[in-house]
PDB file of all heavy atoms in Angstrom:
ATOM      1  N   LEU D 326     105.677  83.953  85.625  1.00  0.00           N
ATOM      2  CA  LEU D 326     104.633  83.656  84.635  1.00  0.00           C
ATOM      3  C   LEU D 326     105.091  82.613  83.613  1.00  0.00           C
ATOM      4  O   LEU D 326     106.280  82.521  83.300  1.00  0.00           O
ATOM      5  CB  LEU D 326     104.246  84.938  83.889  1.00  0.00           C
ATOM      6  CG  LEU D 326     103.831  86.139  84.749  1.00  0.00           C
ATOM      7  CD1 LEU D 326     103.539  87.351  83.863  1.00  0.00           C
ATOM      8  CD2 LEU D 326     102.616  85.790  85.607  1.00  0.00           C
ATOM      9  N   SER D 327     104.122  81.886  83.068  1.00  0.00           N
ATOM     10  CA  SER D 327     104.447  80.914  82.018  1.00  0.00           C
ATOM     11  C   SER D 327     104.180  81.485  80.629  1.00  0.00           C
ATOM     12  O   SER D 327     104.339  80.791  79.639  1.00  0.00           O
ATOM     13  CB  SER D 327     103.644  79.624  82.224  1.00  0.00           C
ATOM     14  OG  SER D 327     102.262  79.893  82.112  1.00  0.00           O
ATOM     15  N   VAL D 328     103.737  82.744  80.556  1.00  0.00           N
ATOM     16  CA  VAL D 328     103.525  83.408  79.263  1.00  0.00           C
ATOM     17  C   VAL D 328     104.237  84.765  79.284  1.00  0.00           C
ATOM     18  O   VAL D 328     104.522  85.305  80.349  1.00  0.00           O
ATOM     19  CB  VAL D 328     102.021  83.626  78.963  1.00  0.00           C
ATOM     20  CG1 VAL D 328     101.294  82.304  78.858  1.00  0.00           C
ATOM     21  CG2 VAL D 328     101.374  84.501  80.035  1.00  0.00           C
ATOM     22  N   ASP D 329     104.496  85.294  78.089  1.00  0.00           N
ATOM     23  CA  ASP D 329     105.194  86.587  77.993  1.00  0.00           C
ATOM     24  C   ASP D 329     104.581  87.407  76.865  1.00  0.00           C
ATOM     25  O   ASP D 329     104.955  87.251  75.698  1.00  0.00           O
ATOM     26  CB  ASP D 329     106.688  86.352  77.736  1.00  0.00           C
ATOM     27  CG  ASP D 329     107.480  87.670  77.748  1.00  0.00           C
ATOM     28  OD1 ASP D 329     106.864  88.740  77.891  1.00  0.00           O
ATOM     29  OD2 ASP D 329     108.718  87.602  77.621  1.00  0.00           O
ATOM     30  N   PRO D 330     103.590  88.272  77.188  1.00  0.00           N
ATOM     31  CA  PRO D 330     102.923  89.043  76.127  1.00  0.00           C
ATOM     32  C   PRO D 330     103.760  90.190  75.558  1.00  0.00           C
ATOM     33  O   PRO D 330     103.318  90.823  74.596  1.00  0.00           O
ATOM     34  CB  PRO D 330     101.665  89.571  76.810  1.00  0.00           C
ATOM     35  CG  PRO D 330     101.965  89.544  78.265  1.00  0.00           C
ATOM     36  CD  PRO D 330     102.979  88.475  78.503  1.00  0.00           C
ATOM     37  N   VAL D 331     104.936  90.437  76.121  1.00  0.00           N
ATOM     38  CA  VAL D 331     105.830  91.465  75.556  1.00  0.00           C
ATOM     39  C   VAL D 331     107.230  90.839  75.395  1.00  0.00           C
ATOM     40  O   VAL D 331     108.189  91.260  76.034  1.00  0.00           O
ATOM     41  CB  VAL D 331     105.878  92.745  76.421  1.00  0.00           C
ATOM     42  CG1 VAL D 331     104.562  93.492  76.334  1.00  0.00           C
ATOM     43  CG2 VAL D 331     106.170  92.447  77.897  1.00  0.00           C
ATOM     44  N   PRO D 332     107.336  89.837  74.510  1.00  0.00           N
ATOM     45  CA  PRO D 332     108.535  88.976  74.470  1.00  0.00           C
ATOM     46  C   PRO D 332     109.848  89.759  74.400  1.00  0.00           C
ATOM     47  O   PRO D 332     110.051  90.567  73.494  1.00  0.00           O
ATOM     48  CB  PRO D 332     108.328  88.139  73.207  1.00  0.00           C
ATOM     49  CG  PRO D 332     106.868  88.171  72.953  1.00  0.00           C
ATOM     50  CD  PRO D 332     106.382  89.500  73.458  1.00  0.00           C
ATOM     51  N   GLY D 333     110.679  89.503  75.378  1.00  0.00           N
ATOM     52  CA  GLY D 333     112.030  90.050  75.384  1.00  0.00           C
ATOM     53  C   GLY D 333     112.133  91.529  75.691  1.00  0.00           C
ATOM     54  O   GLY D 333     113.233  92.054  75.832  1.00  0.00           O
ATOM     55  N   GLN D 334     111.005  92.229  75.814  1.00  0.00           N
ATOM     56  CA  GLN D 334     111.064  93.679  75.986  1.00  0.00           C
ATOM     57  C   GLN D 334     111.159  94.081  77.461  1.00  0.00           C
ATOM     58  O   GLN D 334     110.801  93.322  78.354  1.00  0.00           O
ATOM     59  CB  GLN D 334     109.806  94.327  75.407  1.00  0.00           C
ATOM     60  CG  GLN D 334     109.642  94.177  73.904  1.00  0.00           C
ATOM     61  CD  GLN D 334     108.458  94.995  73.414  1.00  0.00           C
ATOM     62  OE1 GLN D 334     108.399  96.208  73.605  1.00  0.00           O
ATOM     63  NE2 GLN D 334     107.514  94.340  72.785  1.00  0.00           N
ATOM     64  N   GLY D 335     111.608  95.295  77.676  1.00  0.00           N
ATOM     65  CA  GLY D 335     111.548  95.898  79.006  1.00  0.00           C
ATOM     66  C   GLY D 335     112.655  95.452  79.931  1.00  0.00           C
ATOM     67  O   GLY D 335     113.671  94.891  79.511  1.00  0.00           O
ATOM     68  N   ALA D 336     112.456  95.744  81.219  1.00  0.00           N
ATOM     69  CA  ALA D 336     113.463  95.468  82.247  1.00  0.00           C
ATOM     70  C   ALA D 336     113.425  93.985  82.611  1.00  0.00           C
ATOM     71  O   ALA D 336     112.403  93.483  83.059  1.00  0.00           O
ATOM     72  CB  ALA D 336     113.179  96.321  83.478  1.00  0.00           C
ATOM     73  N   ARG D 337     114.524  93.310  82.396  1.00  0.00           N
ATOM     74  CA  ARG D 337     114.620  91.854  82.654  1.00  0.00           C
ATOM     75  C   ARG D 337     115.780  91.595  83.610  1.00  0.00           C
ATOM     76  O   ARG D 337     116.742  92.370  83.647  1.00  0.00           O
ATOM     77  CB  ARG D 337     114.883  91.117  81.338  1.00  0.00           C
ATOM     78  CG  ARG D 337     113.874  91.427  80.237  1.00  0.00           C
ATOM     79  CD  ARG D 337     112.721  90.458  80.261  1.00  0.00           C
ATOM     80  NE  ARG D 337     111.612  90.909  79.420  1.00  0.00           N
ATOM     81  CZ  ARG D 337     110.614  90.103  79.038  1.00  0.00           C
ATOM     82  NH1 ARG D 337     110.609  88.827  79.398  1.00  0.00           N
ATOM     83  NH2 ARG D 337     109.616  90.576  78.320  1.00  0.00           N
ATOM     84  N   ASN D 338     115.698  90.492  84.311  1.00  0.00           N
ATOM     85  CA  ASN D 338     116.786  90.120  85.205  1.00  0.00           C
ATOM     86  C   ASN D 338     118.007  89.678  84.400  1.00  0.00           C
ATOM     87  O   ASN D 338     117.959  88.704  83.667  1.00  0.00           O
ATOM     88  CB  ASN D 338     116.346  88.975  86.121  1.00  0.00           C
ATOM     89  CG  ASN D 338     117.509  88.418  86.942  1.00  0.00           C
ATOM     90  OD1 ASN D 338     118.461  89.132  87.258  1.00  0.00           O
ATOM     91  ND2 ASN D 338     117.424  87.142  87.283  1.00  0.00           N
ATOM     92  N   ILE D 339     119.093  90.415  84.550  1.00  0.00           N
ATOM     93  CA  ILE D 339     120.370  89.987  83.980  1.00  0.00           C
ATOM     94  C   ILE D 339     121.367  89.907  85.131  1.00  0.00           C
ATOM     95  O   ILE D 339     121.787  90.934  85.663  1.00  0.00           O
ATOM     96  CB  ILE D 339     120.850  90.947  82.873  1.00  0.00           C
ATOM     97  CG1 ILE D 339     119.831  90.971  81.734  1.00  0.00           C
ATOM     98  CG2 ILE D 339     122.230  90.519  82.353  1.00  0.00           C
ATOM     99  CD1 ILE D 339     120.126  91.981  80.641  1.00  0.00           C
ATOM    100  N   ASP D 340     121.634  88.683  85.565  1.00  0.00           N
ATOM    101  CA  ASP D 340     122.557  88.427  86.675  1.00  0.00           C
ATOM    102  C   ASP D 340     122.250  89.276  87.910  1.00  0.00           C
ATOM    103  O   ASP D 340     123.139  89.861  88.520  1.00  0.00           O
ATOM    104  CB  ASP D 340     124.005  88.638  86.212  1.00  0.00           C
ATOM    105  CG  ASP D 340     124.985  87.940  87.166  1.00  0.00           C
ATOM    106  OD1 ASP D 340     124.589  86.972  87.840  1.00  0.00           O
ATOM    107  OD2 ASP D 340     126.142  88.400  87.233  1.00  0.00           O
ATOM    108  N   GLY D 341     120.970  89.341  88.240  1.00  0.00           N
ATOM    109  CA  GLY D 341     120.592  89.989  89.494  1.00  0.00           C
ATOM    110  C   GLY D 341     120.226  91.453  89.382  1.00  0.00           C
ATOM    111  O   GLY D 341     119.913  92.085  90.398  1.00  0.00           O
TER     112      GLY D 341
END
Side-chain angles (χ1 to χ4, degrees):
L326 306 177
S327 63
V328 297
D329 185 357
V331 290
Q334 295 187 58
R337 306 269 167 165
N338 172 29
I339 299 174
D340 199 25

